[in-house]
Amino acid sequence: MEAGKYVRYTAEQVEALERLYNDCPKPSSLRRQQLIRECPILSHIEPKQIKVWFQNRRCREKQRKEASRLQTVNRKLTAMNKLLMEENDRLQKQVSQLVYENGYFRQQIQTVSIATTDTSCESVVTSGPHPHHLTPQHPPRDASPAGFLSIAEETLTQFLSKATETAVDWIQMPGMKPGPDSIGIVTISNSCTGVAARACGFAGLEPSKVADILKDRPAWLHDCRCLNVLTAFPTGKGGTVEVLYTQMYAPTTLAPARDLLTLRYTSLLEDGSLVVCERSLTGIQSGPNMPSVQHFVRAQMLPSGYLIRPCEGGGCIIHIVDHMDLEPWSVPEVIRPLYESSAVLAQKMTITALRHLRQVAQEVSGEVVLGWGRQPAALRAFSQRLCRGFNDAVNGFVDDGWSLLGSDGVEDVIIAINSSPSKFLGSQLASSDGISALNGGILCAKASMLLQNVPPALLVRFLREHRSEWADCNVDAYSSATMKANAYNVPGSLGGITGSQVILPLAHTVEHEEFLEVIKLEGQGLTHEEALLSKDMFLLQLCSGIDEHAVGFCAQLVFAPIDASFADDAPLLPSGFRVIPLESGSDASPPNRTLDLASALEVGSAGTRASGDCGDSPYNLRSVLTIAFQFTYQNHNHVRDSVAAMARQYVRHVIASVQRVAIALAPSLQSPHPPPGTPEALTLARWICESYRMHLGLELIESSSETNESVLKLLWHHSDGIMCCSWKTLPVFTFANQAGLDMLETTLVALQDISLEKILDENGRKRLCSDFTQIMQQGYAYLPAGICISSMGRPVSYDRAIAWKVLNDEDVTHCISFMFVNWSFV
């Protein structure tokens, strides 16, 4: 084809080219020639020309996508700019109000000082009302439509004053800054009754669609158990008034769940904005009420809701206000920060609503591409079912059929049973060949515990990536087998699972704060017959909150065994972990103290808080871990008791494993400063460096200062892992620098529990034994590249290792020092 030659195609040829492009947008040369041969109408066109047409077609498609993306970004930036201008106006109004109140209080002080000679109180009382103390006289409210409408109109006024005015003193949410890629403007209350959060953002959906999505709270809020409409009627202005009863899950086993009796008002404002506002009916004078429900604490929703304003060109600006009084007096003091924090409310409800709208908008626009042939709604349903099933297990509601089983005298693990599980497992196991037919049920073993000095995100990420560190292969096999008909064996008779896992990504949310994946546990038979019968196991797993740098409420890992067919209505029996930070849960820094879980979990057992404590230090990060594992059983006492004993023992094993992991992960939070400069540490650092120089003729560290403090500091910061081992019957480590602790995944406190034999593989142990004589005679030895194992079982590779004798001031061997060069996790 000549340079610059313009080729004209007929309409039939263009249509044929479009069909080829849709079938195969990026064909190879051979494939393109095959397509041309299959389409005679293109036989007269040169292959080079068709190749150019395909390239131009891809460019045009890319340009259209880019133009569409830029238009979307432009709409969002325009909306965000409008929001920022409105927020600036609101802040100016707030400043004006504060200036006015300041002048008012100054006037009050002057009036009081003038009236000091008057002993009567009338002069003070009649000096003038505070603007915020004026309470309007409300008309009587009752359960009639007129009474409900009066409450609804008042709720609308109060909600709008919070959403767009200065009724609440809003401050920026820590860690959330507005920008082109941000989710929106998120603020929390500075001081008000209860806890409150507010968010403003752009949603690429129609206002009516946004309202329908947000009103269906159980579909997007994992903590919402149910939302029932008790009564509803239309208003004269085209709106709707509804009376709702809502139940919310408790996040841990340490506190009761919450419920709400609210009135929801949906109306259209004169400027075309759509409003959905809501408030509690409980406590309203002369208003309707509802008796309390057993095992629930009645929470209060102060005027809250959604203001949805349409934008030019599509989409809408949304203002969200959540204002709650969660009755924190009813929970143990140790977890009370979770119920007293506006930041927690923002993370659990307000930000979640914006994220869900953003997710749905991108799915509708086609920006979200998923594999496995699944629709986004179906995958969201799986996520919701996993969370709901886990929350049901943690809460164990009586009306769902849960009851407590007698314990073995130690109350660290709670055992609950459910003899009617068909509502959880779906229709498949409620059929003639499932649990109901075998008169079986579900058993749940659960516990909550406090953790120190480990961030939730880091812990859950480790549990996700290293299942073999805490899981039992036999229990995994039992959990998978009992989800199939007529399989009720107790662990011990099942085997063939190696424990190695393969993570198969399935879907993730737009901001990657939540992952849905399939876990493949590989099977391997011990004998030839078992190898023929063994099969891989699969788990459907939901993981969230594992980004350490993101603003999040909690991190959790929830999984359930599934069949290889992975049907949409597959029964799910979720188990897993939830880790909730306590320090970040409080708007004010909580006290920094060590809590005894056994003495702190009783309601009202408030301990003495030391004055001057500060919770800002990473060494005192606290979190509460909730574990729940579910198993099916056949409803015979001996089988049920066997499964209960297995479940209790297994959860205790998991708790011990998690505690060990938490201790190992704690050093990642510590500051990069060396350990306390005790005389022993300073002397040992000097011995290590002097012995290295004497035996190898090289400098271990380059120091311009010869003080012991500088030597210890440089040794501590050395990039290679350096550790000292006392050469006894069983050599154990006595010291390691920061790189060495990271390599072993341990702490200075736990270092002495690790022996040299445990970290070296078989080849390393053999090589060390053969070179031991050389180390003792020559003073040092070079070890080749190899693999060692951290305290958590992770393989660590290194380019080479150096071992040398560390001599004291009397030239007597004190210990053996090792340096692992260029180590990394495999």
Side-chain angles (χ1 to χ4, degrees), residues 354-513:
L354 281 182
R355 282 175 172 165
H356 183 71
L357 290 174
R358 186 175 180 181
Q359 179 75 24
V360 173
Q362 296 208 7
E363 291 173 358
V364 171
S365 65
E367 296 180 39
V368 178
V369 180
L370 301 174
W372 296 61
R374 301 285 178 173
Q375 294 298 320
L379 295 177
R380 282 204 308 271
F382 276 119
S383 300
Q384 185 72 5
R385 288 175 59 195
L386 284 172
C387 287
R388 179 176 294 275
F390 184 70
N391 281 324
D392 283 325
V394 169
N395 287 260
F397 294 117
V398 175
D399 59 348
D400 283 338
W402 289 100
S403 60
L404 295 181
L405 191 67
S407 68
D408 60 356
V410 182
E411 297 295 337
D412 58 338
V413 178
I414 302 171
I415 302 294
I417 59 173
N418 194 322
S419 301
S420 55
S422 58
K423 65 179 296 184
F424 302 115
L425 299 183
S427 58
Q428 286 192 5
L429 292 186
S431 60
S432 60
D433 60 348
I435 287 179
S436 298
L438 290 175
N439 195 23
I442 297 176
L443 184 144
C444 177
K446 53 189 174 181
S448 292
M449 57 182 288
L450 285 179
L451 297 176
Q452 295 276 3
N453 304 336
V454 58
L458 184 61
L459 176 60
V460 170
R461 188 165 70 243
F462 186 91
L463 296 176
R464 169 180 175 260
E465 297 173 356
H466 304 277
R467 185 180 181 86
S468 60
E469 290 297 330
W470 55 266
D472 188 317
C473 300
N474 285 332
V475 175
D476 285 336
Y478 172 74
S479 301
S480 179
T482 53
M483 292 304 292
K484 302 176 183 178
N486 304 320
Y488 290 92
N489 306 86
V490 177
S493 60
L494 297 169
I497 301 299
T498 64
S500 59
Q501 69 171 4
V502 178
I503 299 178
L504 307 174
L506 188 60
H508 58 78
T509 53
V510 174
E511 297 184 2
H512 292 78
E513 76 277 359

Side-chain angles (χ1 to χ4, degrees), residues 781-801:
Y782 287 98
L783 305 178
I787 300 290
C788 64
I789 307 299
S790 74
S791 64
M792 306 313 304
R794 288 210 288 176
V796 183
S797 66
Y798 54 90
D799 289 351
R800 64 170 179 163

Side-chain angles (χ1 to χ4, degrees), residues 178-306:
D181 297 325
S182 69
I183 197 170
I185 302 173
V186 182
T187 55
I188 58 176
S189 62
N190 188 22
S191 60
C192 68
T193 301
V195 291
R198 171 180 172 268
C200 312
F202 174 79
L205 299 167
E206 294 301 316
S208 58
K209 177 70 172 176
V210 171
D212 292 339
I213 291 174
L214 294 177
K215 289 170 72 173
D216 187 13
R217 193 174 292 142
W220 56 268
L221 184 60
H222 293 329
D223 289 340
C224 184
R225 185 194 182 201
C226 65
L227 189 152
N228 299 324
V229 180
L230 303 181
T231 184
F233 62 88
T235 65
K237 300 180 181 180
T240 305
V241 173
E242 302 165 289
V243 176
L244 310 177
Y245 176 68
T246 306
Q247 291 183 345
M248 307 292 288
Y249 290 108
T252 73
T253 62
L254 306 178
R258 266 51 183 165
D259 66 351
L260 297 159
L261 179 66
T262 59
L263 179 142
R264 185 168 66 190
Y265 183 32
T266 305
S267 62
L268 192 65
L269 302 184
E270 295 180 356
D271 62 356
S273 300
L274 186 60
V275 175
V276 181
C277 57
E278 188 174 354
R279 69 163 296 175
S280 283
L281 291 175
T282 306
I284 295 181
Q285 186 177 5
S286 302
N289 210 327
M290 178 180 179
S292 60
V293 179
Q294 187 179 12
H295 304 298
F296 284 87
V297 173
R298 183 64 50 84
Q300 300 290 321
M301 179 183 290
L302 288 78
S304 308
Y306 316 109

Side-chain angles (χ1 to χ4, degrees), residues 78-96:
T78 302
M80 291 298 295
N81 182 59
K82 186 176 181 180
L83 279 176
L84 290 173
M85 294 175 64
E86 293 174 351
E87 186 71 5
N88 184 56
D89 292 340
R90 186 190 67 81
L91 291 174
Q92 289 181 351
K93 291 179 182 179
Q94 187 175 7
V95 170
S96 300

Side-chain angles (χ1 to χ4, degrees), residues 676-699:
T678 61
E680 293 81 4
L682 299 174
T683 302
L684 178 61
R686 178 171 58 83
W687 288 349
I688 292 173
C689 296
E690 289 178 352
S691 299
Y692 187 88
R693 182 189 310 115
M694 181 181 67
H695 294 309
L696 284 84
L698 301 171
E699 292 292 340

